[in-house]
Amino acid sequence: MRPEILFRLFASVTTLPGVGPRVAKLVERVAGEKVVDLCWHLPTGVVDRRFNPNIAEAPAGRVATLTVRVDSHEKPHGPRSPYRVLCSDDTGFMALVFFNARDDYVRRMLPEGSVRVVSGTVEEFHGGRQMTHPDYIVHLEEKATVQIVEPVYPLTAGLSPKVLVKALRAALQGLPELPEWLEPATLSSHGWQPWADSLRAAHSPESAGDLEPDAPARRRLAYDELLANQLALALVRARMRRARGRALKGDGALRARLRDLLPYRLTNAQQRAVEEIAVDMASPDRMLRLLQGDVGAGKTVVALHAMLVAVEEGAQAAFLAPTEILARQHFETLRPFAEGLGLRLRLLTGRDKGRPRAALLAELAAGEVDILVGTHALLQEDVVYRDLALAVIDEQHRFGVHQRLTLSSKGGGPVDVLVMTATPIPRTLTLTTYGDMDVSRLDEKPPGRTPIDTRAMPDSRIEEVVEGLGRAVARGAQAYWVCPLVEESETVDAAAAEQRHADLQRRFGERVGLLHGRMKAAEKDAVMERFVAGELAVLVSTTVIEVGVDVPNASIMVIEHAERFGLAQLHQLRGRVGRGSARSSCILLYGMPLGETAQQRLKVIRDTDDGFLIAEEDLRLRGAGELLGTRQSGLPEFRLADVEAHGELLAQAREDAASVLADDPELKSQRGAALRVLLYLFERDSAVRLLASG
Ligand code: ADP
Ligand code: MG
């Protein structure tokens, strides 16, 4: 349960003055629906209105606050000319200019003969001074309320700065005094203020420097967020480690036979990973290891080795994939080995229902299944193992921490966990996502891969591409054609893919298939099977093929609107080809005009095939939040921290979290109680629940 002291922060923004349902929708768009979301909505600019020149001294282009006398009104001359109000002071004249203004409004604000304080950007016009649509027009007595340094917030159409600032001011005034969760030494060494003061300070910048990530108030808030993140991860890890693992050694018999069955030798990197995993499994501690390897690095066979350790011990292994297609594919990849080794390998997906499903579950519970491959279906409550010892989780970034926990608690006893990811996540991000999981990295690709020829061209040349595709298909090549993510909507994406599919079918006939996320699982499988079998020459799809699909004969990848994809995603997509012996190519079609960053990004993809380098570049060019397209990455989205700018705070937060939990694993001390509040503040409620459930 969220503590009462946070209730006001977690109330709807409609509890703030001036925020009704309509405004709430707009606030939600820029910040979020809760008061706390609005508090995290920090200014991105600052306007200094303290400059108070007289008219003759007011420089054009600068924001200033002036005290003027209203001399006369000049109505518009024509439909597009503005309404002008002529003003003066002892040093000169200035016009206030209004476009499309209502006469009565201007007249009421600026009656002739009155003295007014106006604030805005001074402009020069035909040698004179003017100000278009002043930001403020107030009476002389109110001058002090205008002559301030004002924060500037990101807005959305229809949301006025005044409304936003008013709501924010109320929110900041009503901030609860939260117990301090940072050590006094931390506060003093950084020169940090208490949380509420820091938040208020972050909303009251005095100069542009206060907006920088290294401003003390911003650093304090960032640290809080990072600490919440690291503490939550540490709690999950502690929970998963608490139950001592079991020592799984295996006699090595199955692994030895596997080596004979494999048509290739393991790379050194694979060999190393296999050994690291074997050591972890043999130790009585629970394994929590991340197997990170670029696309095509050969993670599957490493995972198979791990699963064989469990099976050699007479226990079971589960292999969880993020999509139906991938689960099926892993199953097919593993099948020949399972047959060769005499293993009982089964597949369970959302499509399995009724009696066959019940029969499979019975086998599983009786220990008649050695390895179970599947999708989220593996997480359902009635899926019970006789003796689950190892969970392999593929493409982990699509699964949340909770799902990891669910699977690892299905063994009855402790379950070792091996997480595989093809996403080359830079080190800093690995920390925020996986905490301090042990990492095995496949930094070497199997030999014999031909490099992929990558080219970028404007989509005006699509006709050439289609013709080239026609020639390649006539020679027996297979190609992927990926349509872009138009919106955050599968429906719209699907429509774009359908259109392209229809176009290409007109050219190449029935050998063009279509795959998108709106299709039923069975339809998707059928299409995939036809592509694998070579019946389809071209597969038009949305990004559903992004992860893992392995069709060695496919040698051409066309990506439309490549500029809309993340670099990591492009790299993943390109990794779908170049898996066989044929020379492969990847064509990145881009829409015009192409922005500066987009150009650079396409250049990175063209110039290198190193997934880690690409990820680092992507981080540099786009910032961490966007890196993987957060929608599907499951990476924590930081509101206040910037993992690049606050990298050293992340390391510190990690140490802080570790030392807190070492002294106070249940967060029962006074500081522990404050840290619980911190976890709730950053919505790490599930981590607090772990404490409760012990
Ligand atoms: P990943 O999952 O890391 O993207 P996969 O496990 O799907 O890669 O392997 C990609 C391809 O490389 C598969 O066809 C696999 O059979 C092959 N492969 C894996 N290891 C080796 C190796 N050591 N030598 C040659 N081919 C390999
Ligand atoms: Mg794979």
Side-chain angles (χ1 to χ4, degrees), residues 264-267 270 294-300 446-447 449 550 579:
Y264 49 76
R265 291 168 57 113
L266 295 186
T267 63
Q270 284 172 319
D294 208 347
V295 279
K299 292 181 291 298
T300 317
R449 300 275 159 87
D550 192 16
R579 307 195 140 222

Side-chain angles (χ1 to χ4, degrees), residues 300 330 394 548:
T300 317
H330 281 312
D394 188 16

Side-chain angles (χ1 to χ4, degrees), residues 132-169:
T132 307
H133 295 215
D135 300 321
Y136 290 91
I137 303 173
V138 300
H139 289 258
L140 197 53
E141 311 82 80
E142 294 167 304
K143 186 169 173 178
T145 65
V146 175
Q147 274 199 288
I148 50 165
V149 183
E150 201 176 58
V152 177
Y153 292 95
L155 295 167
T156 183
L159 182 62
S160 87
K162 280 189 186 130
V163 169
L164 184 77
V165 166
K166 185 173 167 201
L168 243 171
R169 215 167 271 160

